[in-house]
Structure formats: structure tokens, C-alpha cells
Amino acid sequence: IYQCDWSSDVCSSDLQSDTVFRLPAGTHVKLRVDVDLSSKVASVNDTFLARVSEPVKVENTVILPEGSLVEGRVTDVSRAGGFGRSGSLSIVFEKLNVFGGSRPIDGTLTGSIVPARPFFLLAAFLKGREARLKRDEDFEIELKRDVTLPVIAY
């Protein structure tokens, strides 16, 4: 049996080392959103949910199960415009909801959501493309700081 204060970043110090796992900074987590995120409709501070699409394991033990929820937030948006100017969308990941509790995280995309620009000669005649994170398509985030999670017996 373990006890963990979900409002803090670490579990209480009286826990044995085999009752908590640490996801170190630099850990990559595969996620997927249930709805499209697009620079066409998103606004700064919009929030959204993503699900872990592949379990995170340490030594064959699942530390972060598939389906765990991660909360994200839009931090910057630029809509597509004329002359081929493409839209852009910046997002961060701030909370992990797992095992009946919530943990603060600091996660960023490992890639970008900026679409390719159109061919230069056509750019003056085309509207640029909106940046989009597609529904049901895997993407990856990187944790920028350690996250401590309780060990759960399955």
C-alpha cells in the first residue's frame, strides 16, 4: 500500500523505493488526440485532451498505461493567410491524469505542427495551409522535468 500527495510533484518520503517510479526528464511519450486541433479554429489558452497511445515501460513494467490522459494547452496561434503564408500552432502539455490522480508535467512536442509552404511561384496566388494536429494520428512529446508516479499492481 502506498500514499501519494497528488497535489505535489513528489510522493511522500516515507514510501519505499519500490512503490514509486520516476519518469526522467527526456522521456518520450506517444500520444493521440480524439479531435483535430487546427490553427483555423484554435485560440490561445484553449485546452484539449490527448491519450497515451503506447504504454511507457521500465524493465518490462508498465509505468504509464495506454489510454492515460494528458492535458494540453494552446500557447500560440497564427492563422494561414495570403501569399502562401501557412498557419502555425504551438502547444504545451501540462497535466497527466493517471491512476485516479493528477500530476503536473512539462511536456513539449518533439516535432512541429507547421505545414509545408506552397511552391514559391504559386505562393502569391494561394492561401497558405492551416497547421493541424490530426485526430487519431500518433505524435510524440518529451518530458522536460522528472515525473514521479506510484507503482500500481495490475
Side-chain angles (χ1 to χ4, degrees):
I1 297 177
Y2 62 88
Q3 294 179 355
C4 193
D5 176 6
W6 289 103
S7 63
S8 70
D9 276 343
V10 293
C11 293
S12 62
S13 60
D14 61 339
L15 296 176
Q16 296 177 14
S17 62
D18 62 347
T19 60
V20 295
F21 274 115
R22 183 177 60 86
L23 290 175
T27 298
H28 288 219
V29 180
K30 286 189 179 181
L31 301 176
R32 152 182 317 173
V33 290
D34 294 333
V35 296
D36 283 354
L37 287 174
S38 169
S39 60
K40 184 175 184 176
V41 296
S43 298
V44 171
N45 289 325
D46 281 355
T47 58
F48 61 92
L49 293 175
R51 293 185 186 277
V52 173
S53 60
E54 187 175 291
V56 177
K57 296 179 180 181
V58 173
E59 297 177 10
N60 293 325
T61 300
V62 174
I63 306 304
L64 190 56
E66 182 177 346
S68 300
L69 290 175
V70 177
E71 294 181 32
R73 184 173 54 87
V74 175
T75 58
D76 191 44
V77 178
S78 295
R79 311 240 187 284
F83 296 98
R85 186 179 62 83
S86 294
S88 67
L89 187 61
S90 298
I91 57 179
V92 295
F93 298 87
E94 300 176 315
K95 194 180 291 185
L96 171 63
N97 298 312
V98 65
F99 306 127
S102 177
R103 309 293 294 161
I105 64 171
D106 181 6
T108 58
L109 283 172
T110 57
S112 64
I113 313 175
V114 179
R117 297 192 180 272
F119 183 70
F120 177 74
L121 293 175
L122 299 176
F125 303 105
L126 296 176
K127 180 180 178 188
R129 301 176 83 182
E130 298 293 347
R132 188 170 147 208
L133 193 58
K134 294 180 182 179
R135 178 180 80 122
D136 293 331
E137 204 170 273
D138 287 351
F139 60 93
E140 199 170 73
I141 66 169
E142 180 179 341
L143 299 177
K144 296 299 181 185
R145 64 182 172 120
D146 294 354
V147 177
T148 304
L149 299 171
V151 174
I152 301 296
Y154 291 78

